[in-house]
Every structure is written in structure tokens, then in C-alpha cells.
């Protein structure tokens, strides 16, 4: 829990999209994702290590994070369809 609080404090305790300070989650700006079976503590340690290394992280509230994730999934499906039509397989 200490790592989470430190990371949130360094990121400003607010959603970068709407300014909410409730129900926050960590988002990778480059769209990276982690498997859900990864232990929570390990995930927080990895986020902290990445933050220290300069990986771009930001805070989003859950509604904003959900919207972003939905848009990313749509874009992935669209790219996959286009690739399959052009004979490329991802």
C-alpha cells in the first residue's frame, strides 16, 4: 500500500482527463497492459520501478480508464480486420 500511495502522490492524486480524485487507477500512456493474474503487490512494485525509470504513467479515474480501454480495443479490432483483408495476420 505504501508504494501505491507514493506513486499516486507523485502523479498528483487526480485523473488527468476529468480532474476527479475518486476511484483512481494507474494507466500506461503507451497502452501497455498487465495480466490480471499478476499479484497486486508485484504490479505496484513494477509500476514504481517503471515510474522511476521514466516510463510514462498517469492516473485516470475508472470511468475515464474504461473509456480509454474501450477505444483501444476498438482500434485493435479494426487493425486486425484490415490486416486480415490485406492478407497479413497479426
Amino acid at each position: 500500500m505504501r508504494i501505491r500511495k507514493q506513486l499516486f502522490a507523485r502523479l498528483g492524486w487526480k485523473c488527468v482527463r476529468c480532474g476527479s480524485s475518486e476511484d483512481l487507477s494507474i494507466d500506461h500512456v503507451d497502452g501497455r497492459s498487465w495480466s490480471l493474474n499478476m499479484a497486486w503487490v508485484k504490479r505496484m512494485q513494477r509500476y514504481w520501478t517503471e515510474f522511476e525509470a521514466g516510463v510514462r504513467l498517469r492516473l485516470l479515474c475508472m470511468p475515464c480508464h474504461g473509456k480509454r480501454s474501450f477505444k483501444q480495443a476498438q482500434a485493435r479490432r479494426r487493425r486486425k480486420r484490415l490486416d486480415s483483408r490485406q492478407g497479413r495476420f497479426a
Side-chain angles (χ1 to χ4, degrees):
M1 191 67 154
R2 189 189 87 218
I3 294 172
R4 178 183 167 93
K5 284 184 179 180
Q6 288 176 343
L7 189 54
F8 277 38
R10 291 195 55 190
L11 292 172
W13 285 100
K14 288 191 177 186
C15 174
V16 297
R17 290 206 173 170
C18 70
S20 173
S21 59
E22 302 205 6
D23 206 13
L24 296 172
S25 65
I26 298 169
D27 179 53
H28 282 91
V29 174
D30 66 0
R32 240 186 279 173
S33 64
W34 300 104
S35 65
L36 295 176
N37 64 358
M38 182 183 257
W40 186 86
V41 172
K42 294 265 187 210
R43 192 169 64 235
M44 282 297 124
Q45 288 172 340
R46 181 168 295 187
Y47 285 150
W48 184 258
T49 303
E50 289 181 342
F51 183 72
E52 290 293 314
V55 173
R56 293 176 52 194
L57 302 174
R58 63 183 176 180
L59 292 178
L60 292 177
C61 64
M62 290 307 286
C64 289
H65 204 170
K67 289 174 192 172
R68 180 175 189 271
S69 297
F70 180 74
K71 286 179 183 177
Q72 285 178 321
Q74 281 183 319
R76 274 194 301 272
R77 284 192 296 270
R78 198 173 308 118
R79 277 194 308 271
K80 202 173 198 177
R81 265 195 312 265
L82 288 173
D83 286 348
S84 67
R85 288 179 189 162
Q86 294 174 357
R88 295 182 298 212
F89 297 98

